[in-house]
Amino acid sequence: MAWGEVIVVRYADDFVLGFQHEADAVRFRTDLEQRLGRFGLEVHPEKTRLFRFGRHAAANHRERGEGKPQTFDFLGFTHICGKSRAGKFLLLRRTSKKRMRAKLKSIREVLHKRRHVPVPVQGRWLKGVVGGYFAYHAVPSNIKRLGDFRTQVIRSWHFALRRRSQRTRTTWERMNRLANRWIPPARILHPYPWDRFDDRTRGRSRVR
C-alpha cells in the first residue's frame, strides 16, 4: 500500500511525525508498536499521541464540533495551529510554560545564593543567562513569552537585591536602570525560514 506525504522531525530519541492521511498515521503507530514489542519495548503512553494538526485541522475540528486543535510540546516549545494576519495557516511556537517555570526557578535560586555579590557581577551573569535563553527561544510568534520571561527575571533580581539588607535602597527606579543596562531586550532573533532565505538571496534568483 502506498503512503501519502510524511514529515519527520527528530532530535535524539524524541520525534514528531506528520502524515497527510489519518489512515497512514494509524497504520504507522500499529506497525511501530508491533515492531517495538518484538524487542520488549513500547511507546511511552503519556508522550505518544495521535491527533489532527496543520492547515486543515481547525476546519476539521469545527465540522466535528471538537473545538480547537490540540497543541504539542517539542524541544522546549508549545506548537499551536494559528493564523497569519492574512487568515492563512501559521505554525505558532511559544516557549513551553513548564520549561520557562523551571528556568526562572533556577535563576531565582542562584540570585538568592549570590545576593551579596557585587551588582555588576550579578548583572553580567544575568546578561549571559538571558542572552543565551533568547538565543534559543527568540523565534517568531514568541515575543510575548520572551517579554514575560524578561519581566520575571527583573522582578526576581529586584527581590534578591532587596534581601541584601533591611536598609536597601533598591527602588524600582534604580531597578529599571539596572535592567536597561544588563538585561537584554526581548526581540525576535530568528526570522521565519522564508524570510531568512530572502535575506541571503537579496532578491536574486533562488536557483542561482
Side-chain angles (χ1 to χ4, degrees):
M1 182 182 295
W3 291 78
E5 183 179 353
V6 180
I7 297 175
V8 181
V9 181
R10 175 180 175 272
Y11 181 80
D13 59 346
D14 291 329
F15 59 89
V16 174
L17 298 172
F19 295 87
Q20 183 179 6
H21 304 297
E22 181 178 353
D24 290 343
V26 173
R27 181 155 57 98
F28 178 86
R29 178 168 182 172
T30 300
D31 292 345
L32 178 63
E33 290 176 343
Q34 292 178 352
R35 184 170 181 79
L36 291 176
R38 297 175 186 174
F39 302 95
L41 303 173
E42 61 181 10
V43 296
H44 197 295
E46 297 180 2
K47 294 183 178 180
T48 306
R49 288 188 291 153
L50 184 63
F51 57 93
R52 299 181 185 89
F53 194 90
R55 65 180 68 255
H56 303 299
N60 290 336
H61 275 250
R62 283 195 300 269
E63 292 176 358
R64 294 172 170 79
E66 298 175 345
K68 295 182 179 180
Q70 294 185 45
T71 64
F72 68 94
D73 287 357
F74 185 61
L75 301 182
F77 291 98
T78 298
H79 295 70
I80 307 166
C81 289
K83 290 184 178 181
S84 66
R85 293 181 180 179
K88 297 182 178 180
F89 171 76
L90 183 65
L91 173 63
L92 305 179
R93 288 181 293 173
R94 307 277 194 268
T95 302
S96 166
K97 291 183 178 179
K98 181 179 180 181
R99 171 76 67 90
M100 182 170 160
R101 285 195 298 266
K103 187 62 177 180
L104 288 171
K105 180 181 178 181
S106 67
I107 290 175
R108 285 193 293 268
E109 291 174 350
V110 174
L111 285 173
H112 177 73
K113 295 177 180 178
R114 299 183 179 182
R115 63 186 182 278
H116 295 297
V117 172
V119 172
V121 176
Q122 295 183 27
R124 284 191 291 271
W125 177 76
L126 283 173
K127 181 179 180 180
V129 171
V130 176
Y133 185 89
F134 284 175
Y136 181 80
H137 292 91
V139 299
S141 75
N142 198 35
I143 188 65
K144 184 180 184 303
R145 197 62 58 85
L146 297 178
D148 293 342
F149 179 82
R150 184 178 188 273
T151 297
Q152 292 302 319
V153 168
I154 294 171
R155 288 178 178 175
S156 298
W157 194 14
H158 182 235
F159 180 80
L161 292 177
R162 290 184 65 86
R163 297 283 292 179
R164 289 158 67 104
S165 170
Q166 293 181 350
R167 298 181 180 180
T168 182
R169 296 181 180 179
T170 310
T171 63
W172 270 112
E173 182 179 357
R174 184 194 179 207
M175 196 67 237
N176 287 332
R177 290 197 302 269
L178 291 174
N180 290 334
R181 179 180 181 184
W182 296 110
I183 309 299
R187 59 190 181 91
I188 300 302
L189 301 176
H190 307 293
Y192 283 108
W194 51 84
D195 292 333
R196 183 166 60 249
F197 190 84
D198 286 342
D199 289 340
R200 290 178 179 175
T201 59
R202 296 183 182 278
R204 294 174 296 179
S205 172
R206 297 188 179 188
V207 297
R208 290 181 181 176

